[in-house]
Amino acid sequence: MPKISKIWAHEVLDSRATPTVEAVCVLDTGQFAISSVPSGASTGAHEALELRDEDPARYKGKGVLRAVNNVNNTIAPAIVGMDPTQQSAVDDKLIALDGTENKTKLGANAILSVSEAVAKAGALAMKQNLYSWIQALAKVLGLVTAYHVPTPLFNMINGGLHGAGNLDFQEFWVVPASSKSYVQSLQAGVEIYMTLGENLKRRGAIHSIGDEGGYAPNLFTNADALELFVESIKQTPYALGRDVFLGLDVAADSFYKNNEYAIRDKSAPMDELAFIEYYKELNNSYHLALLEDPLAQDAWEGWKKIRAALGDQVIIVGDDLLATNPKRVEKAITEMACNAVLIKPNQIGTVTETLKVIKMGHDAKWKIIVSHRSGETNDTFIADFAVGIGADYVKFGAPARGERVAKYNRLSDIDAQLTASQK
């Protein structure tokens, strides 16, 4: 089998002009693979560490030369000569080199850049499409799934830490019906996104574009954004509740303080029980399909209550609650705190660890959602990854901005390949 002959990394920029790590894996066959990793603005406290230089003289402290040096000087010498098709062995070596629970020595950004580059190189060595190779790696770990092009969660209005200080909730989604093909879902998402933009212009709601390509309009309340969705969808050929649905990433930690939740829709902050009642009212009005991070990331009792109250009607998604962390996922499964897991490889640090977390969610019969980050690159790894593991949904942002569109277009390529192979 081919061997890894060289690994090296350098600093590149993500979609927010923030430095990130790009790694190259070269094989002794001359084949090579490149991977660049994203970064999040809304990061959970339980995520693996994204190593930054903290040097105010460069990129306001956001440089990643320390992580780059860790790839070039520590990781590379240890894995040169290894077989790129042995992903678990490579990832075990990366984990051992770091030796900390949350990748605080080498940085999850350094480790993941290499792990993903090796996965891509493994696919090249095996002469397979990346999504096929991901499926094979998952099968080794006991995760057996069929290829599935996931349903996109289109983040069309950006608020919270992804917006412009305009709204409390972080993401407002339009979700095509899962019965629709990927081609139909993409068309519906784009047409509704266009119509939404036209409505915002007509209303004079000054709008910029948020970190994930969604509009960041000046609105009075979070419910106003949902009403805009209702109005815009009515102007398209699609019916709300039949062709498309609505969903939210609340990112509740961003407005949680002193055990209360303060949002502009209510005149006074709400305690946990009152906030859950608010969600019930919201769901009665808009029949939400998914609700991500509705409560603070360590409010375990509250998560159990909202799952019990709404879990049979709404997919309750854990992101900050779970942080793609096996210990937290295990706890959430045991305590029935949610019924879906958001998967972000850079929250845990290696491809193998990510696959193991997905298997836990899959075995618990949870929905699996593979997600980008707000600071993205044009790397399309997670599109192939989502198809390979049979994800139910993907979060790539709005159908706008190059780093988001690259992933939607990659799904289009895969969908066309799979469709052709079935003829």
Side-chain angles (χ1 to χ4, degrees):
M1 290 301 295
K3 302 295 182 185
I4 297 171
S5 64
K6 188 176 182 181
I7 291 280
W8 60 278
H10 66 142
E11 194 178 59
V12 296
L13 298 180
D14 71 15
S15 58
R16 285 197 297 255
T18 302
T20 190
V21 183
E22 183 171 85
V24 182
C25 177
V26 183
L27 304 183
D28 58 6
T29 59
Q31 297 167 301
F32 66 92
I34 303 172
S35 183
S36 53
V37 297
S39 63
S42 173
T43 53
H46 305 286
E47 295 188 22
L49 177 74
E50 180 182 73
L51 187 64
R52 297 283 176 185
D53 296 341
E54 309 297 339
D55 177 4
R58 290 189 75 251
Y59 292 108
K60 296 185 179 293
K62 295 290 188 179
V64 290
L65 293 182
R66 291 166 63 198
V68 165
N69 289 336
N70 286 339
V71 173
N72 294 335
N73 300 325
T74 302
I75 293 174
I79 68 169
V80 163
M82 294 188 74
D83 184 341
T85 68
Q86 300 300 307
Q87 186 73 38
S88 290
V90 171
D91 287 344
D92 286 347
K93 175 70 76 171
L94 294 172
I95 292 165
L97 284 170
D98 181 86
T100 68
E101 185 173 356
N102 284 330
K103 316 295 190 296
T104 54
K105 179 182 177 183
L106 300 178
N109 44 351
I111 292 169
L112 183 64
S113 69
V114 174
S115 182
E116 289 189 356
V118 169
K120 291 179 179 180
L124 292 174
M126 296 300 290
K127 297 181 173 58
Q128 292 188 21
N129 286 309
L130 180 55
Y131 61 86
S132 301
W133 181 236
I134 293 296
Q135 186 187 60
L137 294 177
K139 189 174 181 180
V140 170
L141 298 174
L143 176 62
V144 180
T145 60
Y147 294 133
H148 175 63
V149 180
T151 299
L153 306 179
F154 291 108
N155 177 13
M156 296 193 186
I157 291 183
N158 294 180
L161 295 178
H162 294 168
N166 52 320
L167 295 166
D168 307 300
F169 299 166
Q170 189 160 274
E171 300 176 8
F172 296 78
W173 306 326
V174 170
V175 185
S178 57
S179 59
K180 289 188 176 296
S181 69
Y182 177 71
V183 171
Q184 292 170 329
S185 295
L186 187 62
Q187 180 179 338
V190 170
E191 291 176 357
I192 293 169
Y193 180 75
M194 290 176 173
T195 304
L196 180 64
E198 292 166 357
N199 279 338
L200 287 168
K201 289 177 185 176
R202 188 175 66 253
R203 286 168 173 260
I206 301 169
H207 66 279
S208 58
I209 298 296
D211 282 351
E212 297 184 356
Y215 301 108
N218 291 336
L219 301 172
F220 290 109
T221 67
N222 297 286
D224 285 344
L226 295 171
E227 283 298 321
L228 264 172
F229 276 167
V230 172
E231 177 186 320
S232 298
I233 291 166
K234 283 180 179 177
Q235 296 168 17
T236 71
Y238 309 104
L240 185 61
R242 184 191 68 196
D243 302 305
V244 293
F245 300 85
L246 304 183
L248 294 169
D249 174 7
V250 179
D253 264 286
S254 64
F255 52 81
Y256 177 67
K257 188 176 181 181
N258 299 324
N259 296 318
E260 292 182 317
Y261 299 88
I263 61 173
R264 62 197 65 207
D265 299 63
K266 297 291 184 178
S267 58
M270 292 173 280
D271 63 17
E272 188 172 86
L273 289 177
F275 201 31
I276 291 172
E277 287 301 315
Y278 167 78
Y279 283 128
K280 291 179 183 178
E281 295 169 10
L282 208 61
N283 186 53
N284 287 337
S285 298
Y286 300 103
H287 306 291
L288 302 174
L290 301 98
L291 188 58
E292 179 184 331
D293 282 347
L295 298 170
Q297 61 190 322
D298 289 314
W300 286 97
E301 291 303 313
W303 278 84
K304 289 158 65 175
K305 290 171 187 172
I306 197 166
R307 158 86 189 257
L310 290 173
D312 60 341
Q313 306 168 50
V314 182
I315 298 170
I316 307 296
V317 187
D319 175 18
D320 291 344
L321 175 78
L322 305 175
T324 318
N325 182 300
K327 292 180 180 178
R328 294 183 71 84
V329 170
E330 183 178 22
K331 180 176 180 178
I333 291 170
T334 301
E335 299 195 8
M336 300 183 67
C338 53
N339 53 19
V341 56
L342 200 76
I343 297 294
K344 295 174 176 174
N346 79 328
Q347 288 182 326
I348 188 66
T350 66
V351 170
T352 301
E353 288 171 294
T354 307
L355 290 172
K356 288 179 179 178
V357 169
I358 292 168
K359 184 178 186 303
M360 294 173 69
H362 188 267
D363 289 349
K365 301 190 180 336
W366 282 7
K367 296 295 184 183
I368 308 296
I369 305 166
V370 172
S371 176
H372 65 167
R373 300 307 299 257
S374 53
E376 265 296 338
T377 73
N378 287 340
D379 194 312
T380 60
F381 177 87
I382 60 168
D384 283 79
F385 188 81
V387 173
I389 61 97
D392 299 286
Y393 298 95
V394 287
K395 277 179 56 173
F396 294 162
R401 292 181 53 139
E403 74 281 358
R404 318 292 156 183
V405 171
K407 295 165 180 60
Y408 286 121
N409 286 345
R410 176 56 185 156
L411 281 188
S412 293
D413 294 341
I414 296 171
D415 184 64
Q417 290 175 22
L418 294 177
T419 300
S421 70
Q422 294 166 1
K423 292 181 178 178

